[in-house]
Amino acid sequence: MHESDGAAGPPLVLQTVYDAAFATYPVPMKIATWNVNSLKVRLQHLLTWLEANPVDVLCIQETKLTDDKFPLAEINAAGYHVVFAGQKTYNGVAILSKHPIEDVLIGNPHFEDEQQRLIAATIAGMRIICAYVVNGQEIGSDKFAYKMAWLEGLHTWVTEEMRRHPALAVLGDYNIAPEARDVHEPSEWENHIHFTAPERAALAALMELGLQDAFRLFEQPDKQYSWWDYRNLAFRRNRGLRIDHILLTEALAKRCTACHIDRDTRKWEQPSDHAPVVATLAD
């Protein structure tokens, strides 16, 4: 949910670890997304969660670290390959994987952007895109215009990626609640950032390419959210938004057997304001 002030990050730097052999595809997998809201502050949270939830692929957002500060050794020691792109104080994305990583791309070739918000890789025969969508501030602001342009660029790029990769997943903090049931009080949020008509339309257009919301493939309890403000006892009162999503192409949606939000992390001391979202894929 956090917004960059537009400060430019460092030059793009890629860090990765490769294995010589690649797995047989497809394989059963768990994939997840989590806006950690500062990897420096919440590295131990991440490692603790991975130990208890050894997902195959985890996309993280808001690492808020330059690449030279990324905790590569700690992530590798936890049993994960990793690719990342970061900048000081703001933004930053990474993909962690128990499987070898290849064909890595940082940023969107159709949208020039100094902010580190996108990274993609091919893992176990799947194309994985980790996205941190722009916050947008408010309708009419320069940042809202940036958000809408950014989403248009994402649409163009994902269209091309889907042609190349039938098995594709776009995971991340979208900063958009798709429907009224994804908002604790729709009347309060209507025409406010994260729940405006233009944002919802942009997300719907992305899904109309043939992407399906993994969470909505299954019957879910009411009032399920992935983000809660730190203020006003929002988590305790469950006044949240579902803005973290895993979108799957048809090929992956057919393999998806479950999807849930792990809200327990929000109960931890000094938590991220977001909770992980996890999807299970059969072979």
Side-chain angles (χ1 to χ4, degrees):
M1 287 285 290
H2 304 282
E3 179 62 14
S4 167
D5 65 355
L12 297 182
V13 178
L14 172 64
Q15 298 285 346
T16 187
V17 180
Y18 294 94
D19 278 352
F22 287 81
T24 302
Y25 314 126
V27 294
M29 297 183 72
K30 286 191 174 184
I31 62 175
T33 182
W34 190 7
N35 180 324
V36 295
N37 187 17
S38 176
L39 192 53
K40 179 179 180 180
V41 173
R42 296 183 178 87
L43 175 59
Q44 190 54 55
H45 283 196
L46 175 66
L47 297 174
T48 298
W49 189 80
L50 286 173
E51 184 175 9
N53 303 271
V55 296
D56 295 274
V57 176
L58 173 62
C59 294
I60 60 175
Q61 303 85 41
E62 283 204 277
T63 58
K64 298 183 178 180
L65 294 171
T66 54
D67 288 334
D68 60 305
K69 302 294 185 182
F70 192 90
L72 181 61
E74 290 89 341
I75 300 298
N76 289 163
Y80 287 86
H81 310 276
V82 61
V83 290
F84 50 92
Q87 65 188 80
K88 185 178 180 180
T89 308
Y90 300 102
N91 308 317
V93 287
I95 301 174
L96 287 65
S97 173
K98 284 187 171 295
H99 301 267
I101 298 173
E102 61 179 343
D103 192 18
V104 177
L105 178 67
I106 295 171
N108 180 353
H110 295 285
F111 187 83
E112 186 174 349
D113 191 7
E114 294 179 325
Q115 298 188 19
Q116 303 290 37
R117 295 181 173 275
L118 278 172
I119 189 167
T122 299
I123 299 169
M126 297 187 303
R127 190 61 171 167
I128 300 289
I129 297 175
C130 175
Y132 175 43
V133 177
V134 180
N135 179 293
Q137 194 176 55
E138 62 182 1
I139 290 182
S141 69
D142 291 343
K143 290 180 180 179
F144 189 83
Y146 166 42
K147 181 174 191 171
M148 299 310 297
W150 195 95
L151 286 165
E152 184 178 353
L154 180 67
H155 186 282
T156 300
W157 178 51
V158 169
T159 300
E160 293 184 355
E161 287 288 272
M162 288 177 65
R163 293 193 189 109
R164 290 189 288 263
H165 305 279
L168 178 145
V170 188
L171 305 89
D173 175 2
Y174 284 71
N175 269 315
I176 303 170
E179 303 176 57
R181 59 180 169 169
D182 300 311
V183 179
H184 69 83
E185 190 58 63
S187 61
E188 291 182 15
W189 283 88
E190 191 67 43
N191 296 320
H192 289 274
I193 201 65
H194 315 304
F195 195 57
T196 67
E199 292 170 292
R200 299 200 309 269
L203 180 55
L206 188 65
M207 295 179 65
E208 285 167 4
L209 293 175
L211 295 170
Q212 299 182 49
D213 182 347
F215 189 75
R216 292 298 179 203
L217 292 174
F218 308 96
E219 194 74 27
Q220 302 286 0
D222 292 337
K223 300 185 182 300
Q224 295 291 296
Y225 310 123
S226 64
W227 172 85
W228 302 262
D229 201 322
Y230 287 125
R231 301 168 294 181
N232 301 319
L233 301 175
F235 179 68
R236 185 177 299 180
R237 299 164 66 193
N238 199 28
R239 293 174 61 84
L241 304 175
R242 190 175 74 91
I243 59 174
D244 301 87
H245 309 302
I246 298 175
L247 303 187
L248 306 173
T249 55
E250 182 179 0
L252 293 183
K254 288 179 178 178
R255 293 173 52 193
C256 190
T257 59
C259 186
H260 74 280
I261 299 169
D262 185 0
R263 70 195 307 272
D264 286 345
T265 61
R266 192 60 170 79
K267 303 173 185 176
W268 295 354
E269 186 176 354
Q270 290 189 307
S272 169
D273 44 356
H274 295 254
V277 183
V278 184
T280 302
L281 305 179
D283 58 11

